Amino acid sequence: MAMEKSASELAEIRDIDPSPDALEPPSAPLQSNKNSSSWRIDWLVPTQMVGLLVIGTLLAVGHHLFYSSLAGHPIGKISQQWATRYGTAFTFLVKASLISAISTAYIQHIWVMFRKKPMSIGTLDATFSATTDPFSFLNLEMLNRVKIGTVLALLIWTIPLAMVVPPSTLFVIPVVMPEVLNLPVKTPNFTVAETFVELSVVEFLTPDDRGGVNKRGVNERGVSYDGPRPQLSNLATVTTIGGDVVSIESPAPNASYTLQFFGPWMQCYTANSTTINILNSTMRSTLDYTAVLNKQEQLLVGWLNFDNGIQIQGVLCELFNTSYTVHFNFTNTVQTVNLLNRTIVNSTAISTSSVLYTNNIVDPVNTTELDSSTSPALQTFSYLGMLDAFTNVIGGNLSHIAGYVVTSSVLQTKLAFGPDLYPIFSAGRSILYPNLTVQAGLEEMWFNFTISLFGVNANVTTFNETTTITSNLVHNVFQYNARDLLLAYFISVFFASFAVLVGIRAVFINHVSYAANFSSILRTTRNPSLDNIVRNTTSTGLDKECNCMGVKPLAKSLRGTQLKFGIVDGLGHAAFDVVEEGRDGVQEIRGRTECPGNMHE
């Protein structure tokens, strides 16, 4: 079994070992000659460090600009998956650039420490492998002697942790974004009266049938208004009793738009003395409520009031052709209709005979075949049909006298829960609408009825009117947390800049650039004494032939051997050499030391 030798004995091997395997040193120290070359700084390594730092910084800025260009925009030309992939690529390139810059600086710095301080072979191993082997940080000698180098090595390990943040700073959130569209919306066409009311063709055989004289002396034909169609009456019942507008088809998802159109408006007035007298004669002290159309197509509504004894109160309502300005809003499944403005076009209330005289008509009536001059009359037919359908719901009589007479559906409407009709029919009821008088309630219910003609089940002829629509669509929009990305990159670039400054300083101290590759180790270990200590040190069980295989782990007897890099006495060139207590044959490299050229000359 080979015996371990002391460091002093190993140092003497170079001079006393007579074996043929021992490497013979030169007979005399090599001196500088005309072929020697002066050490100089190669700017490749400093340029590499600074260049990688600049590239990493520019890539970080590019990552920020890329994410900023996506922020606030909906997913479209680029998908979320590809945006994340591009961001991950940016992060990888930034990390690779910064870590390469730090690694290069780390190599330059550790060579400064190799020249200044002797270190054990185990510490040299740990220093060289600290950037790839985390267990190297368990070497206390390295932590003590290569402090700044340890910091740089730790940066190489920790900067990838900061790189976890940037890719996740871009994410997607649902955002409601308005989109302006020009789309057609359905508007009731009141001139196509046959979809609102029942029409029939009548023929006048004598001039007197018209209540006057047929000056032309020929038979005439006409269109007769015969009342509202069933679908119009059903719509009036649904909206009046339901107390709201029926469902309207939205032209686009979550749309809102303002529409101007012409239609009938019910204007109600507080009954004057003449109207009260008419109502008094109608109610005859036996009715509590009555609503009826007179011959002028006016709606008269009367009811009893008990505030100051028993009094009759009433309203008179008329129809006017009116310009509506209405705002429609559809949010998910909720629709909202608001009246913005209404302007009465004709101050004369709508009232006409029930016949339109025209010879150009056949049965069944198709108003689209009539001359455009008939449109006002046909529109009036539609308005009167709406009035009749509305009156069929709220019209009739109510009385709690003589068997409780009920011929009106008004108690099923909101009016029954208002302050006017509540005192009369309060059994089991409460005032749900304290501000809804009969006058206001009738106008509100008429508005709901009119707007319901836009509904999907109105079954009336409509025409398309193009209008500007704002569609509030939910888009998946990129959201960018710039602060987190910039903070992560700033910290990384800051410490990388510190490392590059350390590396540049090391280059100027060394006056040369170093690497940790095989050729660097080869050129800095040209020393016979190193071969001797390896061959004469107890080998490991896996490397029995003088440690020549370089296996891991390193033999304990070799691990503690101290080496230093410098000009070796007796060799005349720079190399690692053994350093022992009381004997240091390595001169520190200072300044621009000249090395021998061709040692064989």
Side-chain angles (χ1 to χ4, degrees), residues 391-402:
T391 305
N392 290 339
V393 181
I394 59 98
N397 302 316
L398 295 176
S399 175
H400 61 279
I401 302 174

Side-chain angles (χ1 to χ4, degrees), residues 494-564:
F494 174 80
F495 284 108
S497 301
F498 165 76
V500 169
L501 291 176
V502 171
I504 293 175
R505 171 182 175 273
V507 170
F508 278 96
I509 292 176
N510 292 330
H511 287 284
V512 290
S513 301
Y514 285 101
N517 51 28
F518 175 76
S519 64
S520 295
I521 303 302
L522 173 66
R523 288 175 288 171
T524 56
T525 55
R526 294 182 300 126
N527 189 345
S529 63
L530 298 181
D531 184 57
N532 288 334
I533 63 171
V534 172
R535 288 191 295 136
N536 292 277
T537 302
T538 303
S539 61
T540 65
L542 298 176
D543 190 3
K544 298 184 179 298
E545 299 298 330
C546 68
N547 293 292
C548 63
M549 296 297 293
V551 299
K552 189 176 181 179
L554 179 65
K556 292 183 179 180
S557 57
L558 187 60
R559 187 182 307 166
T561 304
Q562 298 283 317
L563 300 181
K564 183 180 180 183

Side-chain angles (χ1 to χ4, degrees), residues 6-72:
S6 64
S8 61
E9 291 174 333
L10 292 175
E12 295 174 358
I13 290 177
R14 181 176 61 222
D15 298 323
I16 64 175
D17 190 352
S19 66
D21 294 331
L23 296 176
E24 294 293 335
S27 57
L30 294 174
Q31 304 297 327
S32 297
N33 56 34
K34 62 181 180 180
N35 293 321
S36 64
S37 59
S38 178
W39 291 11
R40 63 183 178 83
I41 298 175
D42 189 316
W43 292 103
L44 175 62
V45 171
T47 303
Q48 178 181 338
M49 286 189 292
V50 175
L52 288 170
L53 176 63
V54 171
I55 290 173
T57 303
L58 292 178
L59 286 169
V61 174
H63 194 179
H64 166 66
L65 295 178
F66 173 64
Y67 275 4
S68 296
S69 68
L70 296 178

Side-chain angles (χ1 to χ4, degrees), residues 326-582:
V326 179
H327 181 74
F328 296 86
N329 183 76
F330 303 89
T331 302
N332 297 327
T333 58
V334 179
Q335 70 178 30
T336 305
V337 181
N338 294 317
L339 176 62
L340 302 182
N341 184 48
R342 59 177 175 85
T343 303
I344 295 177
V345 178
N346 193 335
S347 60
T348 303
I350 296 174
S351 176
T352 184
S353 64
S354 59
V355 178
L356 168 65
Y357 301 103
T358 177
N359 285 324
N360 300 322
I361 192 69
V362 294
D363 204 4
V365 177
N366 184 358
T367 57
T368 59
E369 298 177 354
L370 299 180
D371 187 84
S372 59
S373 61
T374 63
S375 295
L378 295 174
Q379 178 179 277
T380 300
F381 282 170
S382 299
Y383 289 178
L384 293 178
M386 292 180 62
L387 179 60
D388 285 342
F390 184 77
T391 305
N392 290 339
V393 181
I394 59 98
N397 302 316
L398 295 176
S399 175
H400 61 279
I401 302 174
Y404 202 85
V405 177
V406 177
T407 61
S408 174
S409 300
V410 70
L411 293 182
Q412 302 177 48
T413 68
K414 297 168 68 174
L415 295 179
F417 300 90
D420 289 336
L421 300 187
Y422 168 77
I424 306 174
F425 310 100
S426 59
R429 301 176 184 269
S430 59
I431 300 180
L432 299 180
Y433 310 103
N435 298 321
L436 190 68
T437 62
V438 169
Q439 179 176 340
L442 290 173
E443 292 180 351
E444 177 184 318
M445 290 189 295
W446 180 265
F447 174 75
N448 291 340
F449 178 32
T450 302
I451 297 301
S452 293
L453 294 174
F454 291 83
V456 293
N457 297 320
N459 293 320
V460 297
T461 299
T462 61
F463 64 90
N464 292 330
E465 180 173 334
T466 301
T467 188
T468 301
I469 295 173
T470 301
S471 181
N472 297 305
L473 300 177
V474 178
H475 293 276
N476 288 327
V477 176
F478 286 112
Q479 191 79 4
Y480 171 41
N481 186 350
R483 184 192 64 180
D484 288 355
L485 179 139
L486 294 176
L487 181 61
Y489 279 149
F490 174 79
I491 293 174
S492 301
V493 172
F494 174 80
F495 284 108
S497 301
F498 165 76
V500 169
L501 291 176
V502 171
I504 293 175
R505 171 182 175 273
V507 170
F508 278 96
I509 292 176
N510 292 330
H511 287 284
V512 290
S513 301
Y514 285 101
N517 51 28
F518 175 76
S519 64
S520 295
I521 303 302
L522 173 66
R523 288 175 288 171
T524 56
T525 55
R526 294 182 300 126
N527 189 345
S529 63
L530 298 181
D531 184 57
N532 288 334
I533 63 171
V534 172
R535 288 191 295 136
N536 292 277
T537 302
T538 303
S539 61
T540 65
L542 298 176
D543 190 3
K544 298 184 179 298
E545 299 298 330
C546 68
N547 293 292
C548 63
M549 296 297 293
V551 299
K552 189 176 181 179
L554 179 65
K556 292 183 179 180
S557 57
L558 187 60
R559 187 182 307 166
T561 304
Q562 298 283 317
L563 300 181
K564 183 180 180 183
F565 182 66
I567 304 299
V568 180
D569 292 346
L571 291 181
H573 64 76
F576 280 98
D577 194 23
V578 178
V579 175
E580 62 179 350
E581 186 177 354

